[in-house]
Amino acid sequence: MKRSFLGVLLLGLCAIWISDARADPPIKYAIAVHGGAGNGWLRLDGEERIEVHTSIKQAVIIGRDILAKGGTSLDAVEQVIRHLEDDPIFNAGKGAVFNSAGGHELDASIMDGRGRSCGAVAGVKTVRNPISLARLVMTRTRHVFLSSDGADVFAKEMNVDLVDQKYFWTQRRYDAWQRVKAKQKDDHKGTVGCVALDSHGNLAAGTSTGGLTNKLYGRIGDSPIVGAGTYADNNTCAVSCTGVGEHYIRNAIAYDVSARMAYRKQPVEDAVSEIFEKTLIADKGQVGGIIAVTHDGKITMQFNTKAMARGAADSSGRFDVVLVAD
Ligand code: ASP
């Protein structure tokens, strides 16, 4: 009797041990990247689509390699976004859209999930890589947010790469500006963002944009606003948003993803889909996307436009890059 009881116990323990050994290993690092949500991506010709796909793929590789070597999520986010800012096909850095005055004003923010330190710049006109300036605001000042001329002066002091406004002139964005001025639809695609979990367990998020085509001079969108377009907290997740920024600002969307996880214990997937279904639709903000990665490496990339350029990778070998809706 005693023997058979022991036998059953041993068998049970073995079963638990085997099922544990088969369980997926925990995700050590994970990264997700977006290149903006918008129906306009569908109007690209074949070659342009390949260009976008290739660039997002390169961005994911840059970030994944940093994380795989034990680098930090902040470095991954900054380097991924710098790469996308230098590519004229995205509405960030080089490819920034035109504002109503025919100029370019760039916005960016970055956040460290460790202690919620963050940095942001808005309305900068001479900075090649606004995401790096945002990081410098975080690490080299006692502030979190610098705007317009003050941010450009700070950029000079920090010796970052400065460029002339002409640097941001691209035919694609000029044509888009003409279309929007002629009252045609703005397909607002091309803002870039990145969220990452590193092997030290730290999250980071960043977003960079030229804003909306023909935006009023001085308009600031959600991308540089921590809690609206960007958020990161090691206890929950890192978030980067894209879409018509006004909806994201008034609904504190990036923070809401994190708050839903913290207070309602919602899985990130559900938190983001409920924000689309309830908050953004009710606010008629039915055009945009959200990417997030959690403290345990779960990635979600959701949008309600017809397309969002995006990619993801993690330590389990996941690697994907997609442009249109699945
Ligand atoms: N969210 C950006 C803004 O409103 C634009 C975009 O994501 O396409 O400035």
Side-chain angles (χ1 to χ4, degrees), residues 161-290:
D161 278 351
L162 298 178
V163 290
D164 196 87
Q165 277 269 293
K166 272 188 251 134
Y167 166 80
F168 301 112
W169 198 100
T170 60
Q171 191 68 52
R172 186 195 312 272
R173 298 298 175 198
Y174 182 79
D175 294 345
W177 182 44
Q178 300 308 314
R179 284 199 302 272
V180 173
K181 281 202 293 181
K183 301 264 177 296
Q184 287 167 18
K185 246 180 145 185
D186 179 19
D187 45 28
H188 72 272
K189 58 176 165 33
T191 289
V192 305
C194 178
V195 292
L197 167 73
D198 63 30
S199 54
H200 316 286
N202 295 318
L203 290 168
T207 313
S208 181
T209 188
L212 298 179
T213 303
N214 206 36
K215 64 184 180 181
L216 284 183
Y217 179 64
R219 178 263 189 191
I220 295 171
D222 61 314
S223 311
I225 298 181
V226 167
T230 305
Y231 198 73
D233 180 344
N234 271 5
N235 296 311
T236 54
C237 61
V239 185
S240 172
C241 303
T242 172
V244 178
E246 284 68 13
H247 303 292
Y248 288 75
I249 295 171
R250 58 175 163 253
N251 293 295
I253 295 295
Y255 176 70
D256 195 26
V257 178
S258 167
R260 282 166 179 273
M261 287 183 70
Y263 304 146
R264 293 181 69 185
K265 308 287 170 222
Q266 263 188 314
V268 72
E269 196 77 25
D270 300 355
V272 173
S273 57
E274 211 173 282
I275 285 171
F276 274 112
E277 281 159 27
K278 301 203 170 140
T279 316
L280 284 171
I281 294 288
D283 198 36
K284 302 208 180 351
Q286 59 274 64
V287 278
I290 299 173

Side-chain angles (χ1 to χ4, degrees), residues 33 49-62 80 83-90 321:
V33 176
R49 279 197 195 194
I50 293 173
E51 235 180 274
V52 175
H53 194 276
T54 309
S55 198
I56 295 279
K57 186 173 169 187
Q58 274 167 357
V60 176
I61 292 172
I62 290 170
V80 161
H83 161 80
L84 297 169
E85 284 175 338
D86 287 343
D87 187 334
I89 206 149
F90 299 103
V321 178

